[in-house]
């Protein structure tokens, strides 16, 4: 186990999408072996609590992702953070007690919990200097987080990260091989790319996917219209068949990622919802995972496969 491990602590129905995005970004910078996230790093059948405890012992830095539902409020019962069996409480308490550098990360304007709202073992948390990550400035906030971690980890952070998968680029054939699957790449302007200029995956165009969301009888045909050059991606992606503007769109060797936003209405009130898409081009399919954040109810990640539509007249 690498001694410079970063442990990501989060509540799944509060910050699962952000946890995935941070894990992928930090693994790219520091190597996947240096970053722990429960979904990726606990094998099936292993005792969850024992693995978490073991990883906490090796962690130099703990990132505590705090969204607006981090306390785990429950109707008619104390918040989950006051339950001694709550894993978020156990993780953060252990990080504070063992002397790890515990960094609160406030998501999309979520406030730091007041010490009075926390159990005794966590009351030191509000005294730690926090970082913020916001959708509107995600790239800049992520750069700040990476710089903080490099300083916290010291010399160990300077080593080149171990790649998470082997990637072979065959420029002459215009093909990238990823995990055994061939992925077509091409220049946005057609023809061969100039020497030293990275090729762009052939994502530009119109796509369609049949998507089943995580509530009853929720199957929709969604459309994606993707454009851009270099690493930039813009255009639209529909949610519930309504086109939404693509924000924060990026594509590179790590894959495609972008954000859209919608409004959720329930009980006479409304809330802004963020949809985070991550995935990659495999053959002539866009294989994406969409995580919805915010709104009135938590949502599970949705997997979808979009297929290219013929070019319009």
């Amino acid at each position: 186990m690498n001694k410079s491990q970063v442990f990501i602590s989060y509540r799944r129905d509060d910050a699962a999408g952000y946890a995935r995005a941070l894990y992928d970004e930090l693994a790219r910078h520091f190597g996947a072996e240096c970053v722990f996230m429960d979904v990726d790093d606990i094998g099936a059948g292993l005792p969850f609590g024992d693995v978490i405890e073991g990883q906490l012992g090796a962690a130099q830095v703990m990132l505590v992702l705090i969204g607006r539902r981090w306390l785990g409020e429950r109707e008619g019962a104390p918040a989950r953070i006051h339950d001694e069996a709550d894993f978020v409480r156990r993780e953060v308490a252990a990080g504070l007690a063992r002397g790890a550098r515990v960094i609160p990360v406030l998501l999309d304007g979520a406030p730091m919990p007041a010490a009075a709202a926390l159990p005794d073992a966590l009351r030191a948390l509000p005294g730690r200097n926090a970082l913020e990550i916001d959708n509107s400035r995600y790239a800049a906030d992520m750069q700040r987080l990476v710089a903080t971690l490099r300083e916290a980890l010291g010399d160990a952070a300077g080593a080149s990260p171990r790649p998470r998968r082997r990637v072979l680029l065959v420029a002459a054939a215009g093909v990238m091989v990823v995990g055994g699957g061939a992925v077509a790449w091409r220049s946005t302007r057609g023809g061969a790319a100039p020497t030293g200029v990275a090729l762009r995956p052939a994502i530009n165009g119109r796509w369609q996917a049949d998507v089943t969301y995580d509530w009853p009888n929720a199957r929709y045909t969604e459309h994606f219209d993707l454009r851009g050059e270099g690493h930039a991606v813009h255009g639209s992606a529909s949610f519930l068949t309504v086109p939404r503007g693509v924000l924060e769109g990026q594509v590179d060797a790590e894959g495609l990622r972008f954000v859209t936003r919608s409004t959720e209405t329930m009980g006479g009130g409304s809330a802004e919802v963020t949809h985070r898409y991550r995935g990659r081009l495999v053959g002539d399919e866009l294989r994406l995972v969409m995580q919805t954040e915010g709104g009135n109810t938590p949502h599970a990640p949705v997997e979808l496969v979009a297929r290219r539509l013929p070019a319009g007249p």
Side-chain angles (χ1 to χ4, degrees):
M1 183 61 59
N2 195 299
K3 66 179 181 180
S4 60
Q5 188 181 58
V6 177
F7 187 104
I8 299 176
S9 173
Y10 67 103
R11 193 175 296 285
R12 291 189 187 181
D13 58 2
D14 176 56
Y18 267 115
R20 165 59 60 193
L22 263 66
Y23 177 87
D24 288 346
E25 189 74 16
L26 297 181
R28 185 169 67 87
H29 282 277
F30 301 108
E33 72 278 10
C34 292
V35 186
F36 178 83
M37 175 177 164
D38 58 4
V39 173
D40 274 7
D41 295 323
I42 299 180
L46 295 178
F48 188 88
D50 291 349
V51 174
I52 292 290
E53 291 293 326
Q55 297 294 331
L56 282 168
Q60 285 183 238
V61 178
M62 171 181 281
L63 300 179
V64 182
L65 307 190
I66 299 175
R68 297 187 181 277
R69 297 187 295 275
W70 181 76
L71 291 174
E73 290 91 344
R74 297 178 291 188
E75 186 175 353
R80 279 184 285 170
I81 203 71
H82 291 283
D83 184 345
E84 293 184 357
D86 180 53
F87 274 106
V88 171
R89 169 178 170 160
R90 290 169 57 182
E91 290 169 1
V92 178
L96 292 168
R98 295 176 183 179
R101 182 163 175 176
V102 178
I103 302 175
V105 181
L106 306 179
L107 305 175
D108 288 336
M112 176 73 78
L118 299 173
D120 290 344
L122 272 60
R123 289 191 174 178
L125 182 65
R128 301 296 177 103
N129 193 32
L131 294 176
E132 297 182 359
I133 293 182
D134 192 277
N135 280 324
S136 63
R137 54 175 192 272
Y138 180 82
D141 288 347
M142 182 58 67
Q143 288 180 352
R144 189 176 300 109
L145 174 60
V146 168
T148 298
L149 290 177
R150 289 197 185 281
E151 179 272 325
L153 298 176
D155 293 340
S160 298
R162 185 179 68 190
R164 300 187 66 194
R165 53 178 64 85
R166 298 185 65 186
V167 178
L168 174 64
L169 289 178
V170 187
V175 170
M176 181 180 79
V177 178
V178 181
V183 182
W185 288 57
R186 63 169 176 253
S187 165
T188 56
R189 298 186 184 274
T195 302
V197 177
L199 295 176
R200 172 189 175 91
I203 63 167
N204 285 13
R206 298 166 58 244
W207 303 80
Q208 178 176 300
D210 291 326
V211 183
T212 301
Y213 295 103
D214 61 340
W215 61 87
N217 303 314
R219 184 172 178 84
Y220 294 83
T221 298
E222 306 289 17
H223 291 88
F224 303 81
D225 184 3
L226 303 179
R227 302 184 296 277
E229 295 186 351
H231 294 302
V233 179
H234 54 89
S236 66
S238 72
F239 175 68
L240 305 184
T241 73
V242 178
R244 322 280 176 171
V246 166
L247 307 172
E248 304 173 27
Q250 289 284 310
V251 63
D252 52 31
E254 293 293 311
L256 168 68
R257 50 201 177 274
F258 61 87
V259 165
T260 67
R261 294 195 177 94
S262 64
T263 300
E264 181 177 289
T265 302
M266 181 177 291
S270 63
E272 184 179 74
V273 175
T274 299
H275 311 284
R276 295 187 178 277
Y277 294 82
R278 301 184 67 87
R280 62 182 57 253
L281 180 65
V282 180
D284 208 30
E285 296 180 343
L286 277 178
R287 299 182 182 177
L288 301 168
V289 176
M290 187 269 280
Q291 175 66 58
T292 295
E293 299 171 352
N296 298 294
T297 57
H299 296 282
V302 175
E303 297 184 6
L304 61 101
V305 176
R307 294 176 173 82
R308 190 185 299 276
L309 293 173

